[in-house]
Amino acid sequence: MNSLYSRQSFLGPDSEAMIADCRLGIIGLGGGGSHIVQQAAHLGIKHYVIYDPQDIEDTNLNRLVGATLADVGAPKTSVAERVIFGLHPSADIVTRTMRWQDDPEPYLRACDIIIGCVDGTQERLELEALARRYIIPLIDIGMDVHVIQPESPRMAGQIILSMPGGPCLKCFGAIPEDNVVQNAYGEAGGRPQVVWANGILASTAIGMLVDLITNWSQTLSSLPYLQYDGNAHTVLPHVRLSHMPPNSVCPHFPLGKVGPPIFRNIVQ
Amino acid sequence: MTTRLRLLRSLHQRMMADLVRAHPYARERVGWVVGRTATGPADNTLVVAYDYLDVPDDEYIDDPRVGARFNRNVIRRAMQHCVDTGDSVFCVHFHDHSGRPVFSRTDHRGLWPLVPPLRTLAPQAAHGLLLLSLDEAVAIAWPPPSKEPMACSVRVVGRPMGLF
Ligand SMILES: [Zn+2]
């Protein structure tokens, strides 16, 4: 084992190779995604597909880890690359400074795991549809702050593992069944995001990823839908899980419908 | 990037459950794993498996010289699947040990010739051979339009993941 990873050797004798061999897709490199990048690189992941269309603004610096004042105006992808290459000079990074929906193929389908750090419900649905088509586990993270006057703001977040063959975001109730789409999180002033909550969500997602790859904890029947209560500082199994039937089959993504989309001419 | 064959752990378990069973006379069992090919550059081809076609006991031929010999129905079924769907077909068998399995010379001689007819019938899809051990897997694939086989990594998707 490489001495870089001696402190995580308890993950298993093959863990270093398995982690290095994993290709991770990261969608969104803002508050959540920048933590994901940082931890994945420290962990030893060497293959990446990263997407983010945005440049860094000064309002991002309260949470975008790895970014400095000098990065304002640069693409968020450039900070992610710097963090990864700083730990793995020969890392294999597919960098797409664009919306992933504008050019997902063939990059995303090559990923072994995708972590989605995206804002809108519609985008989460679309990303999950792609992941299911190529049977890729998707870990979805996000946070939200609600203000209901006169109470103090309520900060909440979620970490969901959408595993092909298992319950999807709709099955979990994380996205409304009726497709009534809210396009952005947040009600407390311009998409509220804070560094510590992003860090907790991202750390938990990376913990799920490590367990998926190495099975070190031997608790993989554990719960794939966690809720973060930012006011109480807790991460707990989501209450919706207790209402789900065990071994429920997802009706939204039939297992036979996998592979690339088929386009047919519509004959008038 | 490499050619990849990705399958759910539940499908892997179904294959294993079938392939590990002792046969009245054949020393090894075979089956077909079928999937959809996402083509790209030859080194970035993905096959997403969706089903397993097993081989009934009476379609094996009693031949002590090789691990598994089977009658024409077995091959015909795979070819028919190619014709009907245009999809990928991989011949899969199992070596009874843990660790990384290796295709034997008999595997090469007996199984390799199964692939060219599949490529003719479903030329847009990747075809190949998959070999399982108790805890690992290896595969070779002929991605379109390559004439030469190439190493194909195997991704078993489930809890835990298998990255081979
Ligand atoms: Zn579902």
Side-chain angles (χ1 to χ4, degrees):
Chain A
M1 179 165 277
N2 185 324
S3 61
L4 277 179
Y5 303 107
S6 57
R7 301 296 182 94
Q8 60 188 47
S9 59
F10 68 91
L11 296 175
D14 301 325
S15 60
E16 184 185 333
M18 289 191 286
I19 289 167
D21 189 35
C22 175
R23 179 175 293 274
L24 176 62
I26 306 168
I27 310 296
L29 301 170
S34 61
H35 280 274
I36 297 284
V37 164
Q38 185 187 53
Q39 294 197 25
H42 282 290
L43 184 65
I45 291 179
K46 299 198 167 109
H47 304 276
Y48 296 85
V49 178
I50 56 174
Y51 277 87
D52 198 301
Q54 294 178 334
D55 292 337
I56 296 167
E57 299 172 14
D58 54 2
T59 57
N60 301 141
L61 294 179
N62 75 321
R63 64 190 185 278
L64 205 151
V65 297
T68 68
L69 282 170
D71 292 314
V72 173
K76 290 180 181 174
T77 50
S78 67
V79 173
E81 283 184 329
R82 186 173 68 213
V83 169
I84 297 166
F85 283 135
L87 285 154
H88 308 289
S90 60
D92 160 24
I93 311 176
V94 176
T95 302
R96 310 296 289 161
T97 305
M98 56 169 58
R99 284 164 22 100
W100 68 270
Q101 300 97 317
D102 292 338
D103 194 23
E105 305 277 4
Y107 314 106
L108 278 180
R109 71 182 184 218
C111 294
D112 295 307
I113 297 174
I114 296 174
I115 300 184
C117 318
V118 299
D119 276 338
T121 304
Q122 185 63 36
E123 189 173 359
R124 294 165 74 206
L125 279 172
E126 289 167 2
L127 185 59
E128 184 178 50
L130 179 137
R132 291 287 172 135
R133 204 155 60 231
Y134 294 116
I135 55 172
I136 303 168
L138 169 70
I139 303 175
D140 171 87
I141 65 171
M143 66 162 288
D144 200 356
V145 179
H146 292 274
V147 179
I148 303 167
Q149 298 290 2
E151 292 174 28
S152 56
R154 301 293 310 176
M155 179 161 46
Q158 89 285 337
I159 311 102
I160 306 175
L161 171 59
S162 170
M163 179 61 92
C168 73
L169 297 177
K170 279 188 181 173
C171 290
F172 283 130
I175 283 179
E177 190 74 47
D178 59 6
N179 267 342
V180 175
V181 165
Q182 302 126 9
N183 273 320
Y185 287 104
E187 296 167 2
R191 293 187 180 180
Q193 294 278 330
V194 288
V195 67
W196 73 91
N198 283 323
I200 288 167
L201 299 171
S203 295
T204 309
I206 289 287
M208 274 188 187
L209 173 145
V210 174
D211 231 357
L212 265 183
I213 299 173
T214 66
N215 196 20
W216 73 274
S217 76
Q218 306 276 317
T219 55
L220 281 175
S221 59
S222 67
L223 299 157
Y225 185 4
L226 303 172
Q227 64 184 351
Y228 168 60
D229 182 333
N231 296 59
H233 310 292
T234 57
V235 177
L236 296 168
H238 202 285
V239 288
R240 289 194 184 109
L241 284 171
S242 57
H243 303 293
M244 286 185 66
N247 302 318
S248 58
V249 174
C250 169
H252 308 98
F253 296 102
L255 280 177
K257 294 200 172 155
V258 295
I262 300 169
F263 297 100
R264 292 195 175 87
N265 288 325
I266 299 170
V267 180
Q268 300 213 330
Chain B
M1 296 202 184
T2 61
T3 301
R4 284 175 185 219
L5 170 64
R6 192 178 290 144
L7 59 142
L8 282 182
R9 185 158 288 287
S10 54
L11 185 61
H12 179 267
Q13 285 165 344
R14 229 176 92 202
M15 291 196 292
M16 286 292 281
D18 180 55
L19 295 171
V20 300
R21 289 180 305 131
H23 186 276
Y25 45 82
R27 285 209 310 276
E28 283 180 347
R29 287 177 183 272
V30 297
W32 304 102
V33 58
V34 298
R36 302 229 15 243
T37 299
T39 45
D43 63 348
N44 188 21
T45 298
L46 170 70
V47 178
V48 188
Y50 60 79
D51 203 3
Y52 173 68
L53 314 176
D54 63 0
V55 172
D57 276 3
D58 60 2
E59 293 186 354
Y60 290 89
I61 294 169
D62 194 356
D63 183 346
R65 289 169 303 174
V66 293
R69 242 185 99 201
F70 33 83
N71 68 28
R72 292 292 305 167
N73 287 345
V74 176
I75 301 147
R76 213 172 285 138
R77 198 172 304 117
M79 291 166 73
Q80 192 61 49
H81 193 85
C82 284
V83 172
D84 293 345
T85 63
D87 286 345
S88 294
V89 175
F90 279 63
C91 182
V92 52
H93 75 291
F94 164 72
H95 285 181
D96 189 5
H97 59 78
S98 53
R100 195 168 177 79
V102 179
F103 286 103
S104 69
R105 204 177 305 169
T106 317
D107 292 338
H108 274 283
R109 230 185 359 249
L111 302 178
W112 198 294
L114 299 175
V115 179
L118 307 174
R119 301 188 65 218
T120 308
L121 294 168
Q124 308 299 322
H127 305 282
L129 308 175
L130 171 64
L131 172 58
L132 308 176
S133 74
L134 287 166
D135 54 4
E136 288 201 36
V138 292
I140 51 173
W142 283 254
S146 166
K147 290 200 167 53
E148 294 302 315
M150 56 174 66
C152 170
S153 63
V154 180
R155 299 338 225 185
V156 179
V157 176
R159 303 163 143 223
M161 304 281 285
L163 308 181
F164 309 121

